[in-house]
């Protein structure tokens, strides 16, 4: 081993010994903990061992730590005694002198090595959780539960994860788009555009009890417009950090572009409304600044249309939801999560304390009892909730997208890299790597209907050709998905009426934006129920 590696190992040992002393604190003393470290260098491998040798080096240990029992420190492996199971959760958020802590994670640096000690909540009272749905909310929920020590089984009717609403959305992770739709202006636009087939918001006038009851509840939520907009923005801000943590832990690339999101305006009334919305977003803690028409052009030089100005949110970003979901599902499998793809859940029976699922996987009929269930089934959540005695009044709101394949150099040069949102047209863009531009938008109230209508796709092509005329739209892939929308425009996250039943659904047009926060939220809810049951 070279002298630099000796110094690196020494720094790591000092950091670990320091955190070992902290682990004796009553807050952490009787818990299962996981140690990770990060450094600027690489750890040399021991003979016959294959630790990950990357700049971001992480190795778990499963234990109430006794980090003095380190057998081959230089190899990057930490040997520790078996885990002690904790019985009662202590209060979090305790200030510990000399250490950075957020309650569940404590950190200490020494010699350029950052050590982190994360609480793992031991073996839960509810040990096996079923997650219904493998879209973005189902996959993030499975990951959030698995990293806390739960056994998880995921059920989805498709062959792969994220094959429906999480397949080709607009790509934005946008706290700046957190404004809920529950205001009279939305109602008036819906009525005005009802018979305009290419309108941004289209309502099929054919009545149904589901649609009418949903719309009545939607109008009933108008008084909560401001409070729900602020709450959604706060949730979106928290979600960004959780999602980046997930991606960092897995080490994935999902065509993320951290270039901010730029809202643009061509009509003064829309710009004035955006200023009023910005007051609410500022109350939520979002930094979003107004920019002039000249600044809009500087931020995105490829834009080829005149604007009045806009609002720019530097902290927002974009990414490929499908790529993220597939890679996070693979990470879940590596953590022991079981996936039942091409599986149709036929019956859900609540036994009083447990939940029994009956499902068909291929030609085989299966049944299993789970300690708990999380419903993350998108627009199918309404029917599942009815079986479980809950009312979750989700309506399917169809959205469309086109993925423009940038096959030639001229199109690649002419396509935007900064993500845009045209508030008047309700169109968003995301650059997904060098060769793809995603353009998405519109909202259609037309029941459980996945038909891809050309009169809804054409406005997206036309928008691209008006804003970016040098981009070739010869090769566009159209798509449509059903957003699971609740009348309040707020997701349902937490327990149902019966023990062991939980929901993480109803995110509407912000599933990608909110998913990581609501996954942590439902996992917290399951933790709290488990602790209550164990007390």
């Amino acid at each position: 081993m070279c002298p630099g590696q000796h110094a690196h190992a020494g720094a790591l040992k000092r950091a670990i010994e320091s955190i070992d002393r902290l682990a004796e604190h009553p807050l952490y003393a009787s818990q299962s903990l996981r140690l990770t470290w990060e450094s600027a260098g690489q750890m040399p491998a021991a003979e016959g061992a294959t630790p990950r040798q990357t700049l971001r080096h992480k190795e778990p240990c499963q234990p109430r730590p006794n980090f003095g029992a380190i057998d081959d420190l230089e190899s990057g492996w930490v040997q520790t005694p078996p885990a002690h199971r904790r019985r009662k959760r202590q209060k979090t958020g305790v200030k510990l002198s000399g250490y950075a802590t957020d309650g569940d994670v404590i950190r200490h640096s020494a010699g350029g090595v950052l050590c982190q000690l994360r609480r793992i909540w031991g073996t839960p009272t509810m040990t096996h959780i079923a997650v219904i749905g493998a879209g973005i909310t189902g996959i993030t929920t499975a990951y959030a539960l698995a990293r806390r020590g739960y056994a998880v089984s995921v059920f989805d009717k498709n062959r792969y994860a994220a094959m429906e609403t999480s397949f080709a959305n607009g790509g934005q992770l946008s706290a700046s788009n957190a404004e809920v739709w529950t205001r009279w202006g939305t109602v008036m636009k819906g009525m005005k555009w009802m018979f305009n087939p290419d309108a941004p918001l289209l309502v099929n006038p054919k009545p149904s009890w589901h649609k009418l009851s949903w719309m009545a509840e939607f109008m009933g939520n108008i008084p909560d417009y401001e409070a729900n907009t602020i709450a959604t923005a706060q949730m979106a801000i928290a979600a960004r950090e959780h999602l980046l943590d997930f991606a960092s832990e897995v080490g994935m690339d999902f065509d993320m572009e951290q270039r901010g999101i730029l809202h643009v305006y061509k009509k003064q009334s829309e710009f004035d409304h955006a200023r009023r919305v910005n007051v609410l977003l500022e109350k939520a803690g979002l930094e979003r600044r107004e920019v002039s028409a000249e600044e809009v052009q500087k931020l995105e030089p490829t834009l080829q249309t005149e604007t009045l100005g806009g609002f720019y949110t530097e902290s927002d970003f974009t990414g490929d939801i499908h790529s993220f979901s597939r890679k996070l599902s693979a990470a879940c499998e590596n953590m022991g999560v079981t996936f039942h793809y091409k599986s149709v859940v036929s019956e859900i029976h609540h036994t009083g304390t447990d939940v029994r699922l009956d499902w068909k996987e291929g030609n085989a009929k299966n049944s299993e009892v789970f300690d708990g269930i999380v419903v993350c089934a998108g627009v199918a959540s309404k029917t599942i909730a009815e079986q479980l005695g809950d009312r979750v009044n989700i309506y399917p709101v169809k959205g469309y997208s086109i993925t423009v394949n940038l096959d030639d150099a001229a199109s690649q040069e002419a396509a935007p890299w900064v993500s845009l949102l045209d508030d008047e047209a309700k169109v968003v863009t995301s650059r997904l790597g060098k060769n793809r531009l995603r353009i998405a938008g519109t909202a259609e109230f037309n029941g459980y209907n996945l038909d891809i209508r050309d009169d809804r796709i054409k406005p997206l092509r036309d928008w691209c050709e008006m804003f970016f005329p040098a981009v070739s739209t010869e090769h566009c892939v159209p798509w449509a998905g059903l957003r699971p929308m609740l009348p309040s425009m707020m997701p349902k996250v937490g327990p149902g009426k019966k023990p062991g039943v939980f929901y993480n659904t109803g995110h509407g047009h912000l599933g990608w934006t909110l998913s990581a926060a609501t996954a942590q939220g439902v996992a917290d809810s399951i933790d709290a129920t488990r602790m209550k049951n164990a007390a």
Side-chain angles (χ1 to χ4, degrees):
M1 183 184 297
C2 69
Q5 290 172 326
H6 275 297
H8 181 87
L12 175 60
K13 186 172 182 178
R14 289 194 300 276
I16 289 174
E17 288 173 345
S18 180
I19 256 185
D20 185 24
R21 290 192 294 273
L22 178 60
E24 299 301 326
H25 189 283
L27 177 62
Y28 295 93
S30 60
Q31 303 174 15
S32 294
L33 302 167
R34 176 179 293 143
L35 172 73
T36 65
W37 64 82
E38 302 174 21
S39 69
Q42 294 183 339
M43 295 296 292
E47 184 176 354
T50 56
R52 280 176 283 175
Q53 295 190 10
T54 63
L55 293 180
R56 187 175 179 81
H57 191 95
K58 291 189 172 186
E59 292 299 340
C61 64
Q62 292 288 339
R64 180 216 169 268
N66 174 8
F67 296 135
I70 297 174
D71 292 337
D72 191 8
L73 180 62
E74 289 80 10
S75 73
W77 301 106
V78 178
Q79 308 290 331
T80 56
H84 290 259
R85 307 204 191 283
R86 70 187 299 279
R87 296 183 179 178
K88 188 173 182 181
R89 183 171 182 171
Q90 306 290 333
K91 292 182 179 179
T92 62
V94 174
K95 291 185 178 180
L96 302 168
S97 179
Y99 301 87
T101 175
D102 62 10
D104 282 354
V105 182
I106 49 178
R107 305 175 180 87
H108 183 67
S109 295
V113 178
L114 172 65
C115 278
Q116 298 190 105
L117 201 62
R118 181 182 297 275
R119 286 194 287 189
I120 308 301
W121 296 115
T123 300
T125 304
M126 292 190 298
T127 58
H128 197 177
I129 307 294
V131 175
I132 309 300
I136 185 62
T137 56
I139 296 299
T140 51
T141 296
Y143 184 76
L145 290 170
R147 73 206 286 260
R148 299 184 188 212
Y150 290 90
V152 182
S153 294
V154 180
F155 296 82
D156 196 277
K157 65 182 181 181
N158 295 290
R159 187 177 180 183
Y160 310 105
M163 293 303 293
E164 294 191 8
T165 307
S166 301
F167 186 77
N169 77 342
Q172 291 188 336
L173 293 134
S174 51
S176 59
N177 194 26
E179 181 196 11
V180 297
W181 299 358
T182 47
R183 62 187 186 92
W184 286 114
T186 306
V187 176
M188 299 309 294
K189 285 179 180 178
M191 295 174 64
K192 174 184 174 182
W193 290 333
M194 190 172 292
F195 299 102
N196 183 358
D198 62 355
L201 173 62
L202 182 64
V203 179
N204 185 333
K206 183 178 180 180
S208 72
W209 174 249
H210 184 195
K211 187 191 299 180
L212 292 173
S213 68
W214 189 94
M215 288 182 173
E217 287 184 50
F218 177 89
M219 289 187 285
N221 277 279
I222 288 176
D224 297 323
Y225 161 78
E226 290 191 4
N228 286 349
T229 293
I230 292 169
T232 302
Q234 291 171 333
M235 203 185 316
I237 292 167
R240 295 187 303 205
E241 299 306 315
H242 291 306
L243 186 136
L244 291 173
D245 282 346
F246 290 0
S248 175
E249 290 168 5
V250 173
M252 72 167 80
D253 172 28
F254 57 102
D255 286 324
M256 178 173 64
E257 292 295 336
Q258 292 180 294
R259 301 175 189 246
I261 291 179
L262 176 62
H263 290 228
V264 296
Y265 302 91
K266 297 170 72 71
K267 186 182 288 187
Q268 190 62 50
S269 60
E270 295 289 342
F271 205 178
D272 291 341
H273 176 69
R275 292 188 176 106
R276 293 190 290 271
V277 172
N278 205 52
V279 174
L280 303 180
L281 298 180
E282 286 178 348
K283 289 181 180 179
L286 183 67
E287 294 184 13
R288 179 178 182 251
R289 62 184 175 90
E290 184 173 341
V291 293
S292 66
E294 292 76 17
E295 289 175 294
V296 166
Q297 203 62 46
K298 287 179 182 178
L299 285 165
E300 185 42 73
T302 63
L303 190 63
Q304 298 297 309
T305 190
E306 292 185 1
T307 68
L308 297 174
F311 278 90
Y312 179 60
T313 311
E314 187 175 2
S315 56
D316 279 345
F317 55 99
T318 60
D320 187 333
I321 186 175
H322 181 69
S323 174
F324 180 93
S325 300
R326 290 295 307 277
K327 290 172 181 176
L328 194 64
S329 69
C332 287
E333 289 190 76
N334 291 337
M335 297 166 71
V337 173
T338 302
F339 283 87
H340 297 276
Y341 290 121
K342 300 181 71 174
S343 295
V344 178
V345 176
S346 55
E347 295 288 341
I348 303 175
H349 306 274
H350 197 280
T351 67
T353 55
D354 303 314
V355 181
R356 192 186 87 229
L357 260 62
D358 298 338
W359 75 95
K360 189 175 181 180
E361 193 166 351
N363 294 321
K365 293 183 178 180
N366 303 277
S367 183
E368 187 171 351
V369 175
F370 295 89
D371 300 295
I373 181 175
V374 186
V375 179
C376 306
V379 296
S381 299
K382 179 178 182 290
T383 302
I384 294 172
E386 288 170 354
Q387 294 184 53
L388 294 166
D390 293 306
R391 186 174 185 272
V392 181
N393 194 17
I394 284 174
Y395 192 86
V397 179
K398 191 194 296 186
Y400 292 84
S401 77
I402 57 174
T403 302
V404 183
N405 292 316
L406 307 173
D407 296 328
D408 58 277
S411 293
Q412 292 169 10
E413 288 293 324
W417 281 99
V418 171
S419 180
L420 301 177
L421 195 155
D422 179 348
D423 262 332
E424 181 182 0
K426 304 303 178 189
V427 170
V428 306
T429 72
S430 295
R431 187 70 178 264
L432 302 176
K434 178 182 177 181
N435 300 317
R436 292 184 299 155
L437 175 66
R438 178 73 48 76
I439 302 174
T442 78
E444 182 179 316
F445 288 76
N446 197 21
Y448 295 88
N449 181 321
L450 277 169
D451 293 346
I452 299 177
R453 295 170 45 176
D454 185 64
D455 59 354
R456 306 295 286 158
I457 291 293
K458 185 177 183 296
L460 300 178
R461 291 197 305 265
D462 291 346
W463 187 94
C464 180
E465 291 166 6
M466 179 174 67
F467 279 66
F468 304 99
V471 172
S472 171
T473 55
E474 180 180 3
H475 298 125
C476 294
V477 181
W479 172 86
L482 300 178
R483 307 177 182 111
M485 203 162 282
L486 284 161
S488 65
M489 304 290 294
M490 301 287 287
K492 181 173 178 57
V493 183
K497 292 179 181 177
K498 296 180 179 179
V501 175
F502 299 87
Y503 294 90
N504 183 16
T505 190
H507 296 66
H509 65 300
L510 293 176
W512 183 211
T513 295
L514 301 178
S515 59
T518 60
Q520 294 285 61
V522 76
D524 286 344
S525 183
I526 292 171
D527 272 349
T529 300
R530 169 172 60 86
M531 296 303 170
K532 182 179 178 180
N533 293 341

